[in-house]
Amino acid sequence: MNEFGFHRPATLKDALATLAASEDARALAGGQSLLPAMKLGLAAPSDLVDLSAITQMKGIAVGKGGLRIGALATHAEVAASADVRGAIPALARLADGIGDPAIRERGTLGGSLANNDPAACYPAALLALGATVHTDRRSIAADDFLTGLYETALEPGELIVSVEFPVPERASYQKFMQPASRYALVGVFVAKNRAGVRVAVTGAAACAFRSTGLEAALSANWSAASCDGVEISDDELNADMHASAAYRAHLIRVLARRAVEQAD
Ligand SMILES: Cc1cc2nc3c(=O)[nH]c(=O)nc-3n(C[C@H](O)[C@H](O)[C@H](O)COP(=O)(O)OP(=O)(O)OC[C@H]3O[C@@H](n4cnc5c(N)ncnc54)[C@H](O)[C@@H]3O)c2cc1C
């Protein structure tokens, strides 16, 4: 690992100023993705800006706009939160299924979304629930936030402060776990709202995406059987040593079915 400067600002303002002072400075949240990348030489920041002392980025609350979760909320906190379990139980279960206990104690919502790993779980929840990402300077709709493989709409030095999740009528996240990494080989998040159904898929392509075919079928008829008639193209899906594109397409339909059956 290369040498780097370490900073632990107490305020969001100071964190932004420290990030702006060096082109190669990186924010550090739970370190569960960034530190392994640094150990492997895939990232070599000049400075790490540890966000952990910034109270403005913490906390979980239910309000008018839905469930607001601070960027620094760990996966374990989200999983255990009575507010999350009450408002969106599927989100609490999603957090409880991430990695292992050590990763859930350290990894954060903001870190996961900013990292936008193609097999991460939270991006599917963000898209299916139609959440809004609040940063230090603007609010970004879920549909505009995830832009590609490990890419988001965040500008250099921009920090996620919190994420607001509208509360659905019912929802479920189903993940087919890659047994070695525990990431999603494929994960499907289904959310039913008064306006219709949103379905988001992770693990299957370069970036989480919405399945318009499943959304149309389930909006017309909310039943597991509705998924059966939807053609899932494997044209743009990942194929690797773990699964072919065709197998991932098959999993999308199976997991969507399961999600509808188990939605609460
Ligand atoms: C073995 C293993 C298994 C895992 N399994 C899963 C899984 O099943 N599902 C899943 O979803 N994830 C999984 N993860 C990833 C885990 O959820 C990480 O916690 C997450 O991807 C990164 O969060 P973090 O808080 O650790 O971020 P960090 O590693 O600290 O940061 C990641 C990136 O986000 C940036 N960043 C951090 N916070 C912010 C912020 N507030 N605003 C802007 N940028 C920010 C950092 O600069 C860095 O670029 C796994 C990780 C490991 C190591």
Side-chain angles (χ1 to χ4, degrees):
M1 219 194 259
N2 293 357
E3 285 194 9
F4 54 85
F6 188 81
H7 312 264
R8 194 162 185 260
T11 64
L12 182 58
K13 194 171 160 228
D14 287 351
L16 292 167
T18 313
L19 284 168
S22 162
E23 217 176 273
D24 296 327
R26 291 278 286 273
L28 176 71
Q32 298 304 296
S33 293
L34 182 53
L35 296 185
M38 289 170 66
K39 284 183 191 165
L40 291 169
L42 300 172
S46 60
D47 296 83
L48 284 184
V49 182
D50 177 6
L51 306 175
S52 62
I54 304 174
T55 47
Q56 198 182 335
M57 298 174 77
K58 298 182 183 178
I60 298 174
V62 185
K64 268 193 191 156
L67 184 63
R68 197 177 186 109
I69 304 182
L72 287 178
T74 64
H75 309 327
E77 284 167 352
V78 172
S81 160
D83 281 336
V84 182
R85 287 175 175 213
I88 315 179
L91 193 61
R93 285 195 296 267
L94 174 151
D96 201 33
I98 292 177
D100 56 36
I103 286 156
R104 293 196 288 274
E105 281 301 320
R106 303 289 311 175
T108 67
L109 170 64
S112 175
L113 290 176
N115 196 48
N116 194 19
D117 187 295
C121 302
Y122 273 127
L126 187 87
L127 273 183
L129 291 167
T132 303
V133 177
H134 299 292
T135 78
D136 59 88
R137 61 199 75 170
R138 59 187 170 141
S139 297
I140 309 171
D143 287 325
D144 300 325
F145 184 77
L146 308 166
T147 54
L149 184 72
Y150 294 106
E151 297 280 344
T152 70
L154 291 173
E155 292 164 0
E158 183 173 12
L159 290 174
I160 300 173
V161 175
S162 65
V163 182
E164 203 154 4
F165 296 92
V167 177
E169 285 175 10
R170 49 179 59 200
S172 175
Y173 176 63
Q174 299 293 321
K175 158 162 118 170
F176 191 89
M177 201 183 279
Q178 205 275 63
S181 72
R182 307 177 74 85
Y183 277 92
L185 188 65
V186 175
V188 177
F189 201 113
V190 173
K192 183 178 188 299
N193 299 293
R194 211 178 306 161
V197 178
R198 289 173 66 112
V199 181
V201 178
T202 188
C207 177
F209 63 92
R210 286 174 63 189
S211 168
T212 47
L214 285 167
E215 289 184 353
L218 289 169
S219 295
N221 178 14
W222 173 255
S223 75
S226 294
C227 303
D228 296 343
V230 178
E231 193 190 331
I232 312 282
S233 165
D234 62 13
D235 283 352
E236 308 269 318
L237 301 188
N238 295 340
D240 53 31
M241 63 183 284
H242 304 295
S244 65
Y247 184 59
R248 281 188 163 91
H250 171 72
L251 277 181
I252 291 171
R253 191 184 297 103
V254 170
L255 295 174
R257 232 182 173 285
R258 227 175 260 174
V260 173
E261 281 164 357
Q262 295 183 24
D264 61 2

